[in-house]
Amino acid sequence: MARSPLVVGMGGSLRTPSTSLTALCVAVEGAAEAGADTQVIDLKRLDLPLYTSEQGIPPSARRLADAVQAADALLWSSPTYHGSVSGAFKNAVDWLALLADHDPPYLSNKPVGMLTTAGGVQGLQAINAMEFIVRSLRGWAVPLVFAVPRSSRVFDGDGRLTDQAVADQLRGLGAEVTRAARQFWAEGTCDYAQERPSGAVLD
Ligand SMILES: Cc1cc2nc3c(=O)[nH]c(=O)nc-3n(C[C@H](O)[C@H](O)[C@H](O)COP(=O)(O)O)c2cc1C
């Protein structure tokens, strides 16, 4: 392998400080420790407009799509909002429609690690929502996921993570995504489009 895998983290809320952004950065650190080159896309700073296909392509959406396209693997982090991902997070993935015409399209051959921070204990609902999105975009959901429960107990008022065990698990997720990216390289792609079993549904 001539280069390191590029792991791109995408997420955070529009709140400052954002626990889901902190958690994402810790997971991305884990990817870097596992040997990946890394990049974090903070959705608050990116400041995407609401998705529409009718008013040209805003530069922020083009930057997002280009960064995702360049990634060998992704880490996604949204706060849990009302039993799902946040609207801001969903809006960001809607802009990945810009990758529809790429060859291969969308997130083909990219493993995606998913995490969320939740006020309560139902964060898996946001993870489940992300998993549906990953599959619809032809990505590969990494089996290891992490929903950080009761976020106010493990992040301080400045959004810093204060629980070492949670930090270790987030770093582990980053390492796992890096491992998955390397595995895809070792095996070539996992592009099954040519040999799809009859009856398989992609969307
Ligand atoms: C609009 C809204 C909806 C929320 N819905 C849920 C929810 O359904 N379940 C839950 O456990 N926490 C919920 N929360 C709490 C957030 O998940 C929690 O505070 C999280 O840490 C926020 O992430 P952030 O710090 O990145 O903004 C909600 C918070 C907001 C603002």
Side-chain angles (χ1 to χ4, degrees):
M1 185 184 307
R3 66 176 177 89
S4 299
L6 174 61
V7 174
V8 172
M10 174 183 119
S13 72
L14 305 189
R15 201 172 71 92
T16 304
S18 165
T19 59
S20 54
L21 179 64
T22 301
L24 176 65
C25 291
V26 175
V28 166
E29 275 171 28
E33 287 159 9
D37 291 333
T38 60
Q39 181 183 354
V40 174
I41 301 171
D42 170 357
L43 293 181
K44 180 179 168 75
R45 288 185 61 187
L46 191 61
D47 196 22
L48 287 165
L50 281 176
Y51 174 78
T52 172
S53 61
E54 293 171 0
Q55 290 173 11
I57 301 172
S60 55
R62 175 51 64 199
R63 280 203 303 281
L64 173 71
D66 287 350
V68 168
Q69 173 64 23
D72 296 299
L74 299 164
L75 281 162
W76 281 6
S77 178
S78 169
T80 299
Y81 274 7
H82 300 147
S84 187
V85 295
S86 68
F89 185 87
K90 182 59 167 59
N91 183 52
V93 294
D94 287 347
W95 277 112
L96 298 183
L98 296 178
L99 300 180
D101 295 333
H102 277 249
D103 182 22
Y106 297 113
L107 307 184
S108 299
N109 305 320
K110 297 183 199 295
V112 184
M114 298 167 289
L115 60 123
T116 185
T117 57
V121 295
Q122 304 295 335
L124 274 178
Q125 294 171 336
I127 299 283
N128 289 340
M130 282 189 217
E131 188 176 346
F132 281 120
I133 298 169
V134 169
R135 292 213 316 257
S136 78
L137 292 175
R138 318 295 199 260
W140 293 75
V142 171
L144 183 67
V145 299
F146 194 32
V148 183
R150 298 201 167 95
S151 55
S152 63
R153 296 189 188 177
V154 293
F155 295 90
D156 67 18
D158 295 320
R160 283 186 297 252
L161 182 55
T162 57
D163 187 313
Q164 191 56 46
V166 170
D168 288 346
Q169 290 184 75
L170 287 166
R171 286 200 181 87
L173 177 60
E176 182 71 355
V177 167
T178 307
R179 189 176 77 83
R182 287 204 172 96
Q183 190 66 27
F184 270 67
W185 274 352
E187 300 290 335
T189 69
C190 282
D191 194 348
Y192 48 79
Q194 311 299 323
E195 299 172 23
R196 191 181 313 158
S198 61
V201 178
L202 283 178
D203 284 307

